Amino acid sequence: IRYGAFVAGGSDSQGYVSEAELWEKGSLHVPQPLAPVLPWPNVMWTLTPLGYKPGTGSGDIVPMYPPGLPLLMAGFRKVLGSRGQYYVGPVLGALAVWLTFVLGRRLTGRPSVGFSAALVLAASPPFLHSLMLPMTDVPVAAVWTLGLVLALPGSVGAAAASGAVASLAVLIRPNLAPVSAAFILGLFWRSVRDCGLTWRMVAAPLVFVCGVLPGVFAVAAIHQNLYGSPWRSGHGGLRDLYHLTNLMVNVPRYTHWMLESGCAYILAGVASLVFWPRTVRSEYGLPTRVLVAGFVLVIWLSYMLWLPFQAWEWSYLRFLLSFWPVLIVLASALVADLLARTRWPGASAVLVTVGVLLFALGYRAAEAYGVFEIRTHEARYEQAAAYVNAHTPPDAAILSMQHSGSVRYYTGRVSIRYDLLDPSWLDRGVDALSRLGHDTFILLDDWEEPLFRQRFQSRNELGRLDWKPVAVISGVRLYDTRMATTRTGMSPPVAAGQPDRK
């Protein structure tokens, strides 16, 4: 709460926050009245900010993110007010830490295992990084861990509760729906062991299936409505996202990120899963081992087969946070087992000391990676939008990319994606907007300026950006195209230094 970015910033953050408000309004389809009158090609995509895509109908855009987190955000807004959506992450992050303790204590019967694991999770750099942003990584980890904790007893009631929780997890991140298969297999195995080959062996897995299906059907219906197919998400179809060849890139890349960020204990957790230490209680035998192994394997494969991300971005470990708690618990259990085998005196105290040391190392690594500066860095989205709101006409058009979603969310101004605009259409596009009564501004982060010039300067006067910005807000530059047209002759001149008509 102290360091988190309570801002609708980049693609993900703004996408989830703005979608929450669409759910409150009762429609996920956002009309774009300018679409029929703008003359350039690919017009619908240029009117689509980050976090959205053109809808299946004509003239509207739809959110590209799953419904689970926005629905939670909308619920928090009802209770906590207009900024309530930003508390979903901290609340579910706290829940994830507590559930890690509960999972460790239940699996091993040793509170020290759970406590040590909870400490490690609480300061794990990928966990802390994701905790600072309003995104799905920490919430879905908390929800899947809750489902795992509820499923451990293996009873029909436990299976029903676990299935309901899994339904929410599927709503938050639909691509992990196959994780449910691990629960079904583990519950079935447990039932066969406890009940034998009778009709009762199908009761728990069947109840779990009944619990998870509402989430699956809801996602399918939403995808059909927004994207035209239950099998197509906002990120594309299955063939667009998954491929066997991605394994060759992702496996070494994610492994390197784990080692680089000081998260090697996750690999120790995998080793612990293979050997299944003696500290795991006997009642959680092979069925639970199958459940946990399937749980980890499906999540791992989901992202190893996924499109690769940048080689230098260790923060993409956030995709794997769903199995972070259980593997940290198993790593702690392995240490406890080794201490028990060597009859080390004060084993519990030693285990907790290990957890404290890993907590300190994780915290320092998070500091070094700038995790606690995310709030300051993300604030530029809201600050730039506030300036735009105060110093541009209400009918202004804002050419942007990185700020295309945030400036639209905070100001209601029309944002136009310059990165999707035909390179030959910048000057003509601004002139067309001017004839329709829309003054055009360009809003760019520092790193976007070279990209903007590279895209447009060879074929457009405005592409050179060779005039002074009207404002620089936390490294974000706002250019008024009217201040450049005094030289290009594209439209009547406006006195320099007057960013709005007022």
Side-chain angles (χ1 to χ4, degrees):
I1 292 171
R2 169 66 182 84
Y3 293 101
F6 283 21
V7 173
S11 177
D12 291 355
S13 302
Q14 177 277 143
Y16 290 118
V17 171
S18 60
E19 185 180 338
E21 295 193 16
L22 293 181
W23 278 104
E24 285 187 280
K25 294 174 182 177
S27 175
L28 299 179
H29 295 264
V30 184
Q32 302 299 302
L34 277 179
V37 296
L38 293 178
W40 56 77
N42 202 28
V43 67
M44 276 307 302
W45 274 107
T46 62
L47 289 171
T48 303
L50 292 177
Y52 285 76
K53 64 188 302 180
T56 53
S58 58
D60 69 338
I61 60 174
V62 296
M64 62 183 291
Y65 294 112
L69 180 60
L71 286 170
L72 287 174
M73 288 177 164
F76 271 62
R77 283 171 58 87
K78 291 290 185 182
V79 177
L80 300 176
S82 61
R83 293 180 69 80
Q85 65 268 27
Y86 298 114
Y87 289 92
V88 175
V91 168
L92 291 185
L95 179 65
V97 173
W98 178 69
L99 287 171
T100 301
F101 165 73
V102 173
L103 182 64
R105 184 180 59 182
R106 287 195 180 179
L107 273 178
T108 66
R110 297 184 179 212
S112 58
V113 170
F115 185 66
S116 178
L119 282 173
V120 175
L121 176 69
S124 177
F127 179 81
L128 281 176
H129 184 274
S130 298
L131 192 64
M132 302 302 169
L133 297 162
M135 300 196 301
T136 60
D137 308 286
V138 168
V140 78
V143 174
W144 274 122
T145 305
L146 177 58
L148 198 57
V149 168
L150 291 172
L152 286 180
S155 65
V156 172
S162 181
V165 169
S167 185
L168 175 58
V170 170
L171 282 170
I172 296 174
R173 194 167 278 181
N175 67 301
L176 294 183
V179 173
S180 302
F183 283 81
I184 296 167
L185 180 58
L187 289 167
F188 180 75
W189 203 307
R190 178 79 173 264
S191 297
V192 170
R193 189 194 70 177
D194 296 344
C195 305
L197 297 176
T198 67
W199 67 269
R200 293 172 60 188
M201 69 182 183
V202 299
L206 184 60
V207 167
F208 178 89
V209 169
C210 292
V212 76
L213 280 179
V216 174
F217 288 148
V219 167
I222 292 168
H223 284 186
Q224 178 68 47
N225 178 267
L226 298 183
Y227 317 121
S229 168
W231 305 104
R232 189 171 188 84
S233 72
H235 294 89
L238 296 177
R239 292 182 179 180
D240 303 325
L241 301 173
Y242 295 98
H243 202 280
L244 277 172
T245 56
N246 294 336
L247 281 167
M248 304 300 293
V249 177
N250 283 330
V251 171
R253 185 167 293 179
Y254 277 83
T255 304
H256 171 73
W257 288 338
M258 287 180 188
L259 298 174
E260 176 193 35
S261 61
C263 297
Y265 44 78
I266 296 300
L267 301 178
V270 175
S272 178
L273 181 58
V274 174
F275 296 108
W276 200 247
R278 292 183 304 175
T279 51
V280 175
R281 292 159 64 179
S282 58
E283 64 187 274
Y284 300 125
L286 188 56
T288 302
R289 189 175 181 178
V290 168
L291 167 56
V292 174
F295 179 84
V296 172
L297 181 62
V298 173
I299 294 170
W300 176 258
L301 284 177
S302 293
Y303 291 105
M304 295 309 100
L305 296 172
W306 191 273
L307 292 174
F309 292 94
Q310 291 97 327
W312 61 88
E313 274 291 350
W314 67 270
S315 62
Y316 284 117
L317 285 173
R318 63 189 176 86
F319 292 126
L320 304 181
L321 283 179
S322 293
F323 63 46
W324 232 243
V326 68
L327 286 184
I328 293 174
V329 163
L330 288 174
S332 296
L334 183 61
V335 174
D337 186 31
L338 293 174
L339 291 172
R341 288 175 185 269
T342 57
R343 298 183 179 181
W344 196 285
S348 294
V350 172
L351 182 60
V352 171
T353 301
V354 171
V356 170
L357 290 173
L358 289 174
F359 177 94
L361 290 172
Y363 187 87
R364 292 190 64 179
E367 278 189 317
Y369 284 127
V371 166
F372 302 109
E373 299 170 8
I374 289 176
R375 186 186 190 117
T376 302
H377 182 69
E378 294 288 297
R380 76 190 195 281
Y381 291 104
E382 192 170 17
Q383 293 165 357
Y387 187 91
V388 169
N389 196 46
H391 297 91
T392 67
D395 58 355
I398 313 297
L399 276 166
S400 57
M401 185 274 286
Q402 187 64 24
H403 292 259
S404 59
S406 55
V407 76
R408 186 179 294 203
Y409 174 76
Y410 284 115
T411 72
R413 305 296 194 271
V414 174
S415 59
I416 296 171
R417 291 274 298 276
Y418 72 80
D419 59 312
L420 300 178
L421 181 66
D422 187 291
S424 65
W425 266 90
L426 178 60
D427 288 352
R428 287 184 291 165
V430 169
D431 189 49
L433 287 164
S434 178
R435 294 177 189 279
L436 291 169
H438 299 278
D439 296 326
T440 305
F441 296 79
I442 303 170
L443 188 66
L444 304 171
D445 268 343
D446 286 342
W447 58 269
E448 291 184 274
E449 286 198 358
L451 301 179
F452 187 92
R453 290 190 177 95
Q454 182 181 357
R455 184 174 183 84
F456 294 114
Q457 66 181 351
S458 64
R459 303 165 77 174
N460 303 269
E461 291 288 336
L462 293 174
R464 295 183 298 195
L465 287 181
D466 56 355
W467 70 99
K468 187 178 179 180
V470 295
V472 180
I473 315 102
S474 300
V476 184
R477 287 173 165 78
L478 179 68
Y479 291 88
D480 185 348
T481 61
R482 296 172 299 175
M483 296 176 64
T485 54
T486 57
R487 294 191 303 277
T488 63
M490 292 168 53
S491 61
V494 175
Q498 290 185 325
D500 68 352
R501 289 173 172 173
K502 296 175 184 178

